[in-house]
Amino acid sequence: RDCLLSRGLGDVYKRQELGFCTETLAAIYADQGYFAEAKKIYSRLILRYPEKSAYFASLIEKLQQEN
């Protein structure tokens, strides 16, 4: 996480495009106001971890309600 925060957002976007998607990264995006990016990551995590799909879906719903 510290590694991600010490770099510019451009580097993070590049990593995301390459498939670097974590719950932590989505939370960082949401905290910084990048709600659409956070939702995209949570959507990808639903596909990657179907056993946690309800959890990630609830996080997406929470973002939609807040914004």
Side-chain angles (χ1 to χ4, degrees), residues 9-58:
L9 271 181
D11 291 337
V12 175
Y13 283 120
K14 288 177 191 171
R15 286 180 180 252
Q16 181 184 342
E17 289 172 6
L18 296 173
F20 184 78
C21 297
T22 66
E23 184 178 350
T24 301
L25 182 57
I28 291 170
Y29 276 141
D31 289 343
Q32 294 180 349
Y34 297 98
F35 304 111
E37 294 300 322
K39 290 176 194 177
K40 286 180 192 176
I41 292 175
Y42 288 134
S43 295
R44 289 180 185 172
L45 291 171
I46 287 172
L47 297 174
R48 190 175 292 169
Y49 303 103
E51 68 276 7
K52 293 179 74 175
S53 63
Y55 170 68
F56 292 127
S58 72

